[in-house]
Amino acid sequence: MTELPLTGVTPVTVPDVSTSAGVGAVASPARRSTAVRRGWRADGATVALVPFLVFVGVFLLWPVGAVVVHSVTPGGSLGIGALVRAVSGPYRSAFTNSLTLAGASAVIGGVLGLALAFALRGLQRPAWLRPTIDAWSSVASQLGGVPLAFAFVALVGTQGVLTKGLAALGVDLAGAGFSLSTLPGMTFVYLYFEIPLMFLVVAPAVSGLRTTWREAAELMGAGPVRYWWAVGGPVLAPSVLGGMLLLFINAFSAYATAYVLNSSGQLVPLAIRFVLQGNVITGEQDLGYALVTWTVALMAAGLVLMHLLRRRAARWSRA
Amino acid sequence: MSAVATSGVAHDVTGGAEQPADSRRPTGAGAGRRPGAARRRRPGLEAVRWTFLVVLGLYFVVPQLAMARFAFQNVPVVLLDQHTLLSRWSAASLLRALHEPALWQATRTSALLAVLTLVLDLALLLPLAVVAEVRAPRLRTVLATVTLLPWVVPPIALVVGVAATFRTVAPGFLTSPLALVPFYAVWAMPFTYRAIDSGLRAVNARTLVEAARSLGAGLPTVLFRVLMPNLSASLVAAGGLTAALVLGEFAFASLLLKTTLPTYLVDYQRDAPQAGMALALAVMVLTALALGAVVHLLRRRGLGVSTTGF
């Protein structure tokens, strides 16, 4: 009964909506009756979101939410004790080490990735070089984990080829303080996936630097320094910083490589594992939860910042 | 690839950027070509450039070679010199590793996980991405945002939450290795969604769907006979990336005590260093080939899907 007056409205509403949903215009009468209720059509798409959101809710947000809630209610009552404990004592050094490792590999990997992009800019002599490096970067940026760590153990581990080769030449790697289980050693390994990742992120921005900008700057009397300070630098900066943030996030949360190289190391991901496996001691769970909360907060901050930078970078790479 | 920065553009300007991946590549190449010709050649700079490229190339190749040597040559490192460099190479260690039944068990688990993860992700995201593209572009913002959430939560962090929640609410849930599927699906979401999304734009899905519908095609026909064949490159890309992710994920599986390929690799290498190294090399090469094929396929189709998930 109630449908009758509403059906009369249909011709008016449908063309209106159909600009964004033209398909519905050829709907069967049965479909139309649902489509008539204005707003329901719009909700139809929203309804399609439900299973997806439920899935993300159950398998991502709920576990993470529970951890965050636990971490601010250690022992059942509200408090920041666990959060404070997670960044003090031995755990403070885990954070310091992780931040150092992620920071160093982000900066070094960022600089080298940027340098790679510049080295390839304007280079077209071996025609195969650029496509090869593009493809290899896409592959290598994903090659973290267990096999990569093994590869470096075979190279510069205590029995590594390079270690022994250098020893034969009188260079003692271990004596010089280099070991894969130290922060410099791990940074050295992490660069394997950080450099290509940075290259992927900044290459479009670098090759998007217009020659005309440079020419314009030169015509107006700017030297190379002035050009990079006033034009090239500011244009590239958001991409470069955003890329480095991505590398930072990537390195901070890397686990398998770190585990193989130094499973007892003082790094946040390894500390989380340690607490999780030894959670028989009462109260230790809260510590693990707090470590996770800090990690997630750090990653979230990084991602938001990166998004902002990328928006800014997009301004110049459009057109 | 180039989509790393571009997908950001495309998501901000809803519907504005029609060819997200490719629009800039030609420009970039063109802009790159001119300065090379116009700028005066400086030999010093050229030398620096090539030295840098060679050193970087060595950094990427030499660890793999060292790994191969360790895996396939039966000469202790101390005895290596120019006379022994080419002697006693054999694939015996790899064959030994391949004879372990436990390896095949772990491989089966990982392969099954990869397939189920991909199926689950496609089931969740493909219809939604189509709806977003064809009917409700405003959903795109929601999807782009939500599918980035997994980036905030690394496996090592999520596993703590999973242990805290699922262990108490559904104790039986985590016993099977297949319990990993939904979580792997969560991490595969960022690039699965982006692969589908850039594919949908590249084939002009809206027009396709409208044409199919006006010819009387039902929803299944539209989805399976019109869209899926056109999206094959994107689906293969999503599949390759998902496989690489599942073949590489260690933290989650290890802490939930599941035997997948990566956890098996670590255990096996402890017992049989050389054979373990050979196996790891094989896994690495296979992963690289899978990803390489994906990249190649996409390039040929003129698509750019970032392997970084952005």
Side-chain angles (χ1 to χ4, degrees):
Chain A
M1 275 319 213
T2 44
E3 277 178 18
L4 262 177
L6 281 172
T7 328
V9 186
T10 319
V12 189
T13 44
V14 165
D16 208 23
V17 186
S18 66
T19 44
S20 66
V23 184
V26 281
S28 63
R31 282 181 57 84
R32 187 179 299 167
S33 70
T34 50
V36 200
R37 279 169 277 165
R38 212 191 138 86
W40 174 246
R41 161 87 55 93
D43 281 12
T46 319
V47 167
L49 266 179
V50 170
F52 166 72
L53 291 180
V54 168
F55 177 81
V56 173
V58 170
F59 292 105
L60 184 69
L61 299 182
W62 178 46
V64 173
V67 165
V68 174
V69 169
H70 279 307
S71 74
V72 293
T73 55
S77 57
L78 202 66
I80 55 162
L83 283 175
V84 171
R85 218 150 62 83
V87 288
S88 51
Y91 300 101
R92 179 192 286 274
S93 65
F95 270 99
T96 321
N97 288 340
S98 268
L99 291 173
T100 313
L101 173 62
S105 64
V107 171
I108 301 173
V111 169
L112 291 178
L114 183 65
L116 179 60
F118 269 106
L120 288 179
R121 179 169 184 252
L123 188 75
Q124 80 270 42
R125 219 166 354 142
W128 51 268
L129 189 67
R130 183 65 199 251
T132 311
I133 291 182
D134 277 346
W136 171 247
S137 300
S138 302
V139 172
S141 62
Q142 300 297 306
L143 289 182
V146 179
L148 182 69
F150 284 173
F152 274 91
V153 169
L155 182 69
V156 284
T158 43
Q159 294 297 315
V161 186
L162 190 62
T163 316
K164 293 294 176 184
L166 286 176
L169 296 174
V171 181
D172 185 7
L173 263 187
F178 183 88
S179 154
L180 281 175
S181 56
T182 60
L183 287 183
M186 289 174 135
T187 309
F188 185 63
V189 179
Y190 279 23
L191 289 179
Y192 201 92
F193 49 83
E194 297 278 71
I195 294 172
L197 188 56
M198 184 67 178
F199 172 72
L200 290 179
V201 175
V202 295
V206 167
S207 55
L209 282 177
R210 303 290 158 76
T211 329
T212 45
W213 296 344
R214 182 174 202 128
E215 287 164 358
E218 277 171 3
L219 279 177
M220 294 171 80
V225 175
R226 183 71 192 263
Y227 165 74
W228 284 113
W229 174 252
V231 185
V235 168
L236 274 187
S239 302
V240 171
L241 291 176
M244 285 186 177
L245 266 171
L246 177 64
L247 301 197
F248 181 88
I249 292 177
N250 203 30
F252 193 93
S253 55
Y255 174 82
T257 316
Y259 175 83
V260 174
L261 294 177
N262 183 8
S263 58
S264 58
Q266 283 277 316
L267 291 174
V268 174
L270 298 172
I272 292 175
R273 159 179 162 268
F274 187 71
V275 173
L276 187 71
Q277 287 190 331
N279 64 6
V280 273
I281 316 160
T282 330
E284 286 303 281
Q285 283 121 310
D286 294 330
L287 192 62
Y289 299 147
L291 287 170
V292 170
T293 303
W294 280 112
T295 306
V296 170
L298 204 62
M299 300 293 103
L303 204 69
V304 168
L305 213 58
M306 208 169 72
H307 180 71
L308 296 177
L309 284 169
R310 184 147 291 165
R311 267 235 299 252
R312 217 182 146 76
R315 214 191 273 174
W316 297 107
S317 47
R318 214 173 291 168
Chain B
M1 294 179 296
S2 63
V4 175
T6 339
S7 54
V9 184
H11 290 295
D12 294 335
V13 209
T14 316
E18 291 301 342
Q19 296 97 9
D22 241 22
S23 57
R24 196 150 22 72
R25 191 168 276 286
T27 332
R33 196 162 297 135
R34 254 170 284 127
R39 211 175 292 159
R40 55 206 175 275
R41 289 232 168 277
R42 276 174 292 181
L45 205 66
E46 283 294 290
V48 169
R49 167 189 283 183
W50 282 106
T51 314
F52 176 72
L53 286 179
V54 168
V55 169
L56 211 56
L58 287 177
Y59 172 74
F60 282 106
V61 175
V62 172
Q64 314 280 349
L65 294 180
M67 197 179 187
R69 196 216 72 86
F70 187 92
F72 297 123
Q73 191 182 21
N74 289 308
V75 176
V77 193
V78 274
L79 297 180
L80 269 186
D81 58 30
Q82 64 247 45
H83 306 297
T84 52
L85 202 58
L86 294 174
S87 66
R88 303 188 66 189
W89 284 77
S90 92
S93 56
L94 183 61
L95 292 178
R96 186 147 43 93
L98 293 181
H99 272 108
E100 294 284 338
L103 165 68
W104 297 108
Q105 190 56 47
T107 309
R108 243 197 311 278
T109 308
S110 276
L112 190 61
L113 284 174
V115 171
L116 291 179
T117 302
L118 181 65
V119 169
L120 180 58
D121 254 356
L122 289 181
L124 282 169
L125 289 171
L126 187 60
L128 261 187
V130 172
V131 168
E133 176 68 21
V134 175
R135 281 198 159 190
R138 76 210 142 75
L139 283 190
R140 198 180 277 150
T141 327
V142 181
L143 282 173
T145 313
V146 175
T147 52
L148 269 192
L149 286 181
W151 263 78
V152 176
V153 188
I156 185 71
L158 187 59
V159 74
V160 175
V162 168
T165 50
F166 284 88
R167 285 244 166 95
T168 49
V169 177
F173 174 70
L174 291 173
T175 51
S176 159
L178 294 185
L180 300 178
V181 169
F183 304 104
Y184 285 3
V186 162
W187 288 304
M189 262 180 189
F191 48 71
T192 308
Y193 171 68
R194 270 149 198 84
I196 298 174
D197 187 54
S198 75
L200 281 172
R201 286 163 197 230
V203 300
N204 217 337
R206 199 154 150 183
T207 318
L208 275 182
V209 170
E210 282 175 12
R213 292 299 294 256
S214 67
L215 289 168
L219 195 63
T221 315
V222 169
L223 211 56
F224 290 103
R225 295 192 54 197
V226 177
L227 284 177
M228 297 269 267
N230 277 299
L231 288 177
S232 56
S234 297
L235 298 182
V236 170
L241 289 166
T242 306
L245 179 134
V246 173
L247 289 184
E249 203 292 313
F250 174 74
F252 206 80
S254 144
L255 282 163
L256 291 180
L257 305 175
K258 305 289 179 248
T259 307
T260 60
L261 202 51
T263 62
Y264 174 79
L265 268 183
V266 170
D267 289 344
Y268 185 64
Q269 217 263 347
R270 218 166 270 150
D271 302 337
Q274 202 191 12
M277 197 67 92
L279 199 57
L281 182 62
V283 170
M284 202 162 188
V285 169
L286 285 179
T287 316
L289 284 180
L291 284 169
V294 164
V295 171
H296 179 72
L297 182 80
L298 290 178
R299 168 134 334 139
R300 232 183 34 203
R301 297 283 183 109
L303 279 173
V305 175
S306 77
T307 49
T308 58
F310 284 89

